[in-house]
Amino acid sequence: MTATTRVNGDLNNTEVLRKPIEFAPDHAYSGRTLAIPETEDDSTIRARYRPFVQRPDVARNDWVSKLELSTALKMAEADMRDGGERLKVLILYGSLRQRSYSRLLAFESARILFRLGCDVRIYDPTALPVKDDVHHDDAKVQELRNLSRWSDGHVWVSPEQHGNLTAVFKNQIDWIPLSTGSVRPTQGRTLAIAQVSGGSQSFNTVNSLRMLGRWMRMFTIPNQSSVPKAYTQFTEERDSGDDSAYLEAEGGSRLMPSGNRDRLVDCMEEFMKYTLVMREHFDLFNDRFSERSEREAKRAREQSSTEAKEKAGQEGNAKSLGGKEVVNGVDVNGI
């Protein structure tokens, strides 16, 4: 059989695939965590932005602690050792319900990233005003904008309602300005996207989130998570007062084992790797031909305007001197 025949007969065109490199698990990292210890964490930040953090006895033995993430852990460990700074991740969710599945999925995403050493902060959209031209100085608006500016990357989790993302979620994105002067607050940041659905699996919301990310000039990772029938995918809430039941339930309201959970882990691991690689070149990814051209054209206009003003000033001075013979005791004839 000739090479041509093999390629034409190969529906998946596997002959052009680049040979993948397999990363063997490093069992020395089993159970290892790079999460910020409570003793080293800012107590105000922890209380306000880390509602996902579990009791130490739960976190040491839950499903997140058992994940094989040795390659990502090694990358994060090396980066923290060399740079001394953790990845900064902002997580947004899109529901105000008491038992919000997008919030629960956001919490599970945060726990994975927290174990990988990220400084994770979840924004609570409660009391965020509807986007208008009046509330720009509102405390919740400023909080959201400051978190976005602070971050290296975002994770967006929205429910699907009426076939698309919710108003609660879109309102948060609308309050993050696309442009502030010459600065684009989200430009060059990475983005991971996920959705929860009450019915069968859909990708309408993640498709819309991906479009929003592109419009916000963010790098959206290739992978994505869509959890169908979310009300069947989480365990029941547990009262921490019943210690044994609470430990057995890993704190309660946890994502149950399934392909959906595995996909979420894939997304968070991929997001962390992309963010780690791209953060080093943040300024490089913000450098664009069109923007350089605009800046140069603006500089040329400003320089031309300055020169014209200076020339006009010189001509004005010459005219004012033209009708005089002596100025401040100086003979100006012939000047």
Side-chain angles (χ1 to χ4, degrees):
M1 185 180 292
T2 65
T4 302
T5 304
R6 285 200 302 273
V7 172
N8 291 340
D10 181 4
L11 296 178
N12 292 320
N13 205 14
T14 56
E15 291 204 1
V16 303
L17 284 176
R18 180 182 294 178
K19 186 177 180 180
I21 298 174
E22 294 185 1
F23 292 84
D26 187 339
H27 298 295
Y29 283 79
S30 296
R32 178 84 65 88
T33 180
L34 299 178
I36 305 171
E38 186 173 6
T39 54
E40 299 177 16
D41 202 3
D42 182 294
S43 59
T44 303
I45 296 296
R46 199 176 185 92
R48 187 179 184 91
Y49 295 119
R50 309 202 211 283
F52 57 87
V53 173
Q54 299 278 31
R55 285 173 13 187
D57 54 350
V58 174
R60 280 195 300 268
N61 299 290
D62 71 351
W63 69 269
V64 172
S65 71
K66 298 179 176 67
L67 293 172
E68 196 295 295
L69 297 171
S70 57
T71 301
L73 284 164
K74 286 180 181 180
M75 291 176 66
E77 190 175 56
D79 182 73
M80 289 166 59
R81 182 178 61 247
D82 297 339
E85 187 177 14
R86 296 173 182 268
L87 289 181
K88 301 185 288 291
V89 179
L90 170 62
I91 298 184
L92 305 178
Y93 61 89
S95 171
L96 302 178
R97 296 173 61 194
Q98 183 175 1
R99 183 171 170 82
S100 162
Y101 295 107
S102 66
R103 182 171 65 244
L104 295 182
L105 193 66
F107 284 7
E108 295 290 51
S109 303
R111 290 172 184 132
I112 298 167
L113 293 171
F114 200 55
R115 185 190 164 196
L116 291 173
C118 299
D119 182 346
V120 185
R121 304 184 187 186
I122 294 183
Y123 176 77
D124 181 357
T126 303
L128 179 69
V130 175
K131 177 68 170 66
D132 58 20
D133 292 330
V134 178
H135 291 90
H136 288 278
D137 293 327
D138 183 271
K140 290 295 291 187
V141 173
Q142 290 302 311
E143 178 188 6
L144 175 59
R145 290 181 171 182
N146 288 336
L147 285 169
S148 181
R149 190 180 302 112
W150 160 86
S151 67
D152 295 313
H154 290 196
V155 176
W156 293 350
V157 187
S158 176
E160 182 159 296
Q161 190 168 30
H162 298 308
N164 218 307
L165 53 89
T166 60
V168 171
F169 188 87
K170 184 59 163 57
N171 190 45
Q172 295 173 77
I173 302 304
D174 288 346
W175 273 120
I176 301 174
L178 181 61
S179 179
T180 304
S182 60
V183 178
R184 287 170 172 79
T186 50
Q187 183 167 307
R189 286 165 174 79
T190 47
L191 172 64
I193 53 177
Q195 72 169 78
V196 293
S197 302
S200 57
Q201 192 166 50
S202 166
F203 300 98
N204 291 343
T205 295
V206 284
N207 287 339
S208 291
L209 293 176
R210 191 173 292 278
M211 187 183 301
L212 279 173
R214 181 184 64 79
W215 204 255
M216 300 295 283
R217 292 192 174 179
M218 304 176 79
F219 181 88
T220 310
I221 66 169
N223 218 333
Q224 60 190 27
S225 170
S226 174
V227 180
K229 296 183 180 179
Y231 61 92
T232 68
Q233 299 296 309
F234 290 87
T235 61
E236 294 299 318
E237 187 176 357
R238 288 289 186 271
D239 183 359
S240 59
D242 187 346
D243 204 56
S244 60
Y246 190 77
L247 283 171
E248 185 179 356
E250 299 183 351
S253 297
R254 303 302 300 270
L255 188 58
M256 293 188 288
S258 70
N260 294 316
R261 192 170 83 174
D262 293 345
R263 175 58 67 86
L264 182 71
V265 177
D266 288 347
C267 288
M268 294 306 103
E269 183 183 33
E270 184 176 288
F271 167 76
M272 177 266 175
K273 290 176 179 177
Y274 271 109
T275 308
L276 203 61
V277 170
M278 294 185 69
R279 183 180 65 171
E280 182 181 352
H281 306 289
F282 183 82
D283 293 329
L284 181 65
F285 288 114
N286 281 337
D287 179 54
R288 288 182 171 85
F289 163 76
S290 59
E291 293 173 8
R292 291 196 304 272
S293 299
E294 288 176 8
R295 287 196 301 268
E296 290 305 312
K298 182 179 179 181
R299 288 194 189 101
R301 288 194 301 270
E302 290 175 348
Q303 183 176 353
S304 178
S305 175
T306 301
E307 290 174 352
K309 289 178 181 178
E310 290 176 352
K311 184 177 180 181
Q314 292 170 357
E315 292 175 349
N317 289 337
K319 289 179 180 179
S320 66
L321 295 175
K324 298 181 180 179
E325 295 182 352
V326 176
V327 177
N328 292 336
V330 177
D331 184 357
V332 297
N333 285 329
I335 293 180

